[in-house]
Amino acid sequence: MSSAGTRSLKENLNYVQVAIAAAVAKRPHKAKEKDPRLVAVSKFKPKELIIEAYNAGQRHFGENYVQELVAKATDIEIMELCKDIRWHFIGHLQKNKIKHVVVLPKLYLLETVDSAQMATSVNNSVNTIYASQPDKKLNIMVQVNTSEEPEKSGISCSEVVDVVKHIHDTCPRLNFMGLMTIGEFGYDWSKGPNPDFLKLLVCRKNVCEALQLEEVDVELSMGMSDDYEKAIEMGSTNVRVGTAIFGAREPKKPATPAQPSQSTEAVTEKLKDLKT
């Protein structure tokens, strides 16, 4: 069987979609999860590959870095050729960068809200930027650090109910869609189900009991290129797949003097220009 590196991008996408369907078929019959959403992680990939994947039928794309998301989401060619594209932000978001993400067109989901304070800041940013659209809401997920690794973002499992309740009670501009986790890298599945995914399932159960929600209405974003099939079998409704679609990433280049990031006002003006 050929690997992701030797197949074409379209073949890779088809391979992943077939694998997703097979994983769904292996779910317990009692599972009533939504069909999984495939998010193509285009981090460090050129816009040509994004357009190629879009033309092959892919619609949801994920980015880890604000500056890269801003550049791609406001790229004229992508905006013209990929009119139904849907962006996910899946990286750590600093408070001073929130407004740069919220203002972006086609932003579908912010997956990495990792505190009540961040939720409030995102809510306030949506309220300010979209003041003329009182019904505008931003889809968000709460990131949980199920593996309790200090280098990872996310709240602890014990904080989840309180943070989601805070969003539900005080953030009317946010649409809580579910919970997200990264989990332990390189987990050995011969040991059984990934404990990080099991923890996220428990977190969802606790949230639903506390807020009287149906579990099927609270999504789970878990699983990446090396474990998305297992994650889906366990109930994931949103998988973030990069390497299996685009091939191995090139090593990140050493930092160079960066251009100043675009201000919210600059992005807004750019979008106005694109519409005229």
Side-chain angles (χ1 to χ4, degrees):
M1 182 179 294
S2 58
S3 67
T6 59
R7 294 189 295 259
S8 69
L9 190 154
K10 186 175 183 179
E11 289 172 332
N12 284 343
L13 261 177
N14 182 66
Y15 179 90
V16 171
Q17 289 162 351
V18 169
I20 286 174
V24 169
K26 293 179 182 178
R27 283 175 170 172
H29 292 302
K30 64 179 180 179
K32 297 180 180 179
E33 305 291 355
K34 297 178 180 178
D35 288 339
R37 179 188 303 107
L38 172 61
V39 180
V41 180
S42 46
K43 179 174 67 172
F44 304 147
K45 295 300 180 181
K47 66 179 180 180
E48 289 79 11
L49 290 184
I50 294 173
I51 294 170
E52 183 179 348
Y54 183 92
N55 289 337
Q58 180 62 27
R59 291 295 178 267
H60 292 265
F61 292 82
E63 290 290 337
N64 291 68
Y65 300 104
V66 171
Q67 192 163 342
E68 188 171 5
L69 175 61
V70 169
K72 290 174 177 176
T74 61
D75 180 86
I76 294 175
E77 191 172 7
I78 290 178
M79 293 183 74
E80 289 181 347
L81 298 179
C82 308
K83 295 187 183 298
D84 195 33
I85 197 168
R86 299 167 190 177
W87 292 105
H88 294 229
F89 187 71
I90 58 176
H92 176 63
L93 183 59
Q94 296 175 318
K95 186 176 180 179
N96 64 339
K97 300 290 181 66
I98 289 174
K99 60 183 180 180
H100 302 308
V101 172
V102 170
V103 74
L104 294 174
K106 308 296 185 180
L107 177 65
Y108 178 79
L109 177 58
L110 170 58
E111 296 197 24
T112 50
V113 171
D114 61 4
S115 69
Q117 292 78 12
M118 174 182 280
T120 297
S121 296
V122 173
N123 181 79
N124 292 344
S125 187
V126 175
N127 200 45
T128 298
I129 294 171
Y130 298 99
S132 63
Q133 301 177 47
D135 295 330
K136 171 77 173 181
K137 289 190 176 187
L138 177 63
N139 294 329
I140 63 98
M141 285 186 170
V142 171
Q143 182 175 1
V144 185
N145 185 356
T146 51
S147 59
E148 301 180 354
E149 295 172 89
E151 67 273 16
K152 289 181 181 176
S153 300
I155 61 176
S156 68
C157 293
S158 62
E159 299 174 282
V160 174
V161 170
D162 287 342
V163 172
V164 176
K165 192 173 188 305
H166 171 84
I167 293 168
H168 184 268
D169 293 344
T170 69
C171 300
R173 289 287 202 155
L174 304 185
N175 177 40
F176 170 69
M177 283 183 64
L179 306 174
M180 176 266 212
T181 193
I182 294 175
E184 177 187 346
F185 293 115
Y187 174 72
D188 182 359
W189 285 88
S190 68
K191 297 178 180 179
N194 189 321
D196 291 316
F197 297 168
L198 290 174
K199 288 178 183 178
L200 202 67
L201 287 165
V202 172
C203 288
R204 179 175 65 175
K205 183 175 183 291
N206 292 339
V207 165
C208 290
E209 288 179 350
L211 278 74
Q212 297 184 325
L213 302 174
E214 295 292 332
E215 288 191 18
V216 71
D217 294 327
V218 178
E219 294 198 31
L220 298 176
S221 178
M222 57 189 193
M224 298 187 288
S225 283
D226 62 345
D227 58 8
Y228 68 93
E229 295 167 86
K230 293 290 188 181
I232 289 170
E233 289 179 37
M234 293 182 66
S236 178
T237 60
N238 190 86
V239 290
R240 311 177 302 274
V241 180
T243 302
I245 295 172
F246 295 106
R249 298 188 185 97
E250 295 181 3
K252 189 174 180 180
K253 295 178 181 179
T256 56
Q259 296 289 331
S261 61
Q262 300 182 65
S263 66
T264 303
E265 293 75 17
V267 171
T268 303
E269 288 303 313
K270 183 175 181 180
L271 297 177
K272 286 180 180 178
D273 292 342
L274 291 172
K275 293 177 181 178
T276 57

